[in-house]
Amino acid sequence: MSTHDAAPEAPEAGAPVRFDTKIAVLLREDLETWQRLNVTAFLVSGLAKEFPEVIGEPYEDADAVGYLPMFRQPVLVFEGTKETLTNAHARVLSRPLPRSLFTSDLFATGNDRDNRAAVRAVPTAELDLVGLAVYGPKNAVDKVLKGARMHP
């Protein structure tokens, strides 16, 4: 079982569930509210495909109406300056952690093909990052996010 496959520890009745992994999103602090929500949704969307173990079981209400499963653990959202984001990007690239990014150019595109082309057109050091997501062991994710603060 890989680090990413580890199930949460079995809690005692009423005790909080603890995960050995973390799903985190880092947003640039100057984004509009709609941009923050949009970027967050896009950034975490790839995790389920690449790491199906992050998805829990489907939901069902008392009337037996079914709903899609969701992440089995919280998605923690952080914010920081452009410099904080640039530093986090450099740190995540130096580690074998899954990551996704969102650049300012993606606000001007309208589809997946154009999004990929917009990122591909810019060298790594020149990417105008507005969001970054990372998944992995808690301590490694914490090191990547050094200097970021929890989103208010």
Side-chain angles (χ1 to χ4, degrees), residues 3-84:
T3 309
H4 300 304
D5 293 336
E9 297 175 16
E12 296 178 24
V17 175
R18 303 278 184 217
F19 295 95
D20 62 351
T21 58
K22 183 180 273 188
I23 300 169
V25 172
L26 174 57
L27 302 171
R28 204 166 73 193
E29 65 187 1
D30 61 348
L31 297 180
E32 298 291 330
T33 301
W34 73 266
Q35 291 173 318
R36 290 171 185 254
L37 296 170
N38 184 267
V39 170
T40 300
F42 269 93
L43 286 172
V44 298
S45 65
L47 277 176
K49 181 178 184 313
E50 293 299 315
F51 300 96
E53 69 273 8
V54 301
I55 301 298
E57 297 297 319
Y59 286 73
E60 185 176 276
D61 65 24
D63 295 322
V65 175
Y67 303 92
L68 293 171
M70 296 185 284
F71 288 127
R72 66 183 179 96
Q73 66 189 87
V75 175
L76 302 174
V77 182
F78 296 82
E79 69 173 6
T81 64
K82 185 173 184 171
E83 181 182 16
T84 302

Side-chain angles (χ1 to χ4, degrees), residues 30-151:
D30 61 348
L31 297 180
E32 298 291 330
T33 301
W34 73 266
Q35 291 173 318
R36 290 171 185 254
L37 296 170
N38 184 267
V39 170
T40 300
F42 269 93
L43 286 172
V44 298
S45 65
L47 277 176
K49 181 178 184 313
E50 293 299 315
F51 300 96
E53 69 273 8
V54 301
I55 301 298
E57 297 297 319
Y59 286 73
E60 185 176 276
D61 65 24
D63 295 322
V65 175
Y67 303 92
L68 293 171
M70 296 185 284
F71 288 127
R72 66 183 179 96
Q73 66 189 87
V75 175
L76 302 174
V77 182
F78 296 82
E79 69 173 6
T81 64
K82 185 173 184 171
E83 181 182 16
T84 302
L85 203 55
T86 300
N87 292 338
H89 186 239
R91 286 191 291 269
V92 79
L93 292 179
S94 72
R95 292 169 168 79
L97 293 172
R99 70 249 175 193
S100 55
L101 62 81
F102 200 103
T103 68
S104 63
D105 297 329
L106 302 186
F107 290 126
T109 60
N111 61 73
D112 188 47
R113 182 192 69 231
D114 292 342
N115 286 350
R116 286 192 314 277
V119 172
R120 190 179 309 110
V122 180
T124 305
E126 296 174 24
L127 292 168
D128 185 18
L129 299 168
V130 298
L132 180 70
V134 61
Y135 170 66
K138 285 193 298 190
N139 63 344
V141 172
D142 289 342
K143 287 177 183 175
V144 167
L145 298 175
K146 184 179 177 181
R149 59 191 175 276
M150 287 294 292
H151 190 283

